Amino acid sequence: MDDRTNTIAGWVLAGCAAALGLGIASGMVFHSGAPEKPGYPVEGAAEAGGGAAAAVPIATLLASADVTKGAEVFKKCAACHTVNQGGANGIGPNLWGVLGKKHGHIPGFAYSSALTGIPGNWDFDTMNAWLTSPRKYASGTKMTFAGLGSAEDRANVIAYLNAQGSNLPLPTAPAAGAEPAAGAEAATAAEGNVAEGATANTADVVNAATPASGAPSVDPAAAEQAAKKGE
């Protein structure tokens, strides 16, 4: 009986040792960690990494946008929106001539206060921000669409929407590396430096002026004559 118990105990210990060994070996072979490329896009992952490339301005993308491709992209929106002139509102409002109009411009449509509370009009930049993420653009919006992750798709659909009754002139694409704000500040600073330099130079001229010949300060004879007159 003791031999049988010892045998069972031996097998149990052997099994435990084998399981422990397999666990250690599998941990060495299969290590956990973030994959080099996720199997599906994760919102905000690029920003967290800190190495994401700078976004291309929508004005630059619109210069080469394709209205026909935009019409294809708009099919994702057609379940909720019409875009023809005089079209009926659906779950979302009719989008004919939307660019250039204020947020929530269609009378009688039940826009969310989150959207109507945003000042200004729909332009190329605001429409791009909205299509990127409606929830981020107007927190609390009724819009359930997650957004278009492709900047090219957004540019194409914006070009398509613009062609449907808005026809606004496309924005000028910024020059590569141009920094208008910094240039303006530099110009202002330069003007300030010129003004300060002008004042300093004027002071230098006054301080360095040489008295004319015959003045008492440089001519001893003139100083003596001035002393006699004073007497």
Side-chain angles (χ1 to χ4, degrees):
M1 189 68 180
D2 290 339
D3 291 340
R4 184 177 180 182
T5 301
N6 290 337
T7 301
I8 294 173
W11 280 109
V12 170
L13 289 173
C16 291
L20 180 60
L22 288 173
I24 294 172
S26 62
M28 295 174 63
V29 175
F30 303 102
H31 63 278
S32 61
E36 294 182 2
K37 184 176 181 181
Y40 57 89
V42 179
E43 186 176 1
E47 291 79 0
V56 179
I58 189 63
T60 300
L61 295 172
L62 283 170
S64 58
D66 189 321
V67 173
T68 302
K69 291 181 179 178
E72 288 297 314
V73 176
F74 186 80
K75 290 179 180 179
K76 298 179 181 180
C77 314
C80 299
H81 297 276
T82 60
V83 73
N84 56 306
Q85 186 174 13
N89 296 322
I91 297 174
N94 174 264
L95 298 179
W96 171 263
V98 64
L99 287 168
K101 301 289 181 62
K102 68 178 183 179
H103 296 82
H105 64 281
I106 296 181
F109 185 82
Y111 294 99
S112 64
S113 59
L115 185 61
T116 57
I118 297 177
N121 297 343
W122 288 114
D123 58 22
F124 298 105
D125 287 319
T126 56
M127 185 61 73
N128 179 52
W130 168 259
L131 291 175
T132 300
S133 176
R135 289 191 296 271
K136 287 185 178 180
Y137 183 79
S139 179
T141 180
K142 296 178 182 178
M143 181 85 156
T144 58
F145 183 61
L148 295 173
S150 167
E152 287 75 15
D153 281 353
R154 294 196 301 272
N156 289 335
V157 79
I158 291 171
Y160 172 71
L161 288 173
N162 189 45
Q164 311 307 309
S166 296
N167 301 311
L168 299 181
L170 295 180
T172 303
E179 297 182 0
E185 291 175 1
T188 302
E191 291 176 0
N193 291 338
V194 170
E196 293 175 4
T199 303
N201 291 339
T202 302
D204 290 341
V205 169
V206 172
N207 294 333
T210 303
S213 177
S217 61
V218 294
D219 192 335
E224 185 178 352
Q225 291 178 3
K228 290 180 178 181
K229 290 181 181 179
E231 293 175 354

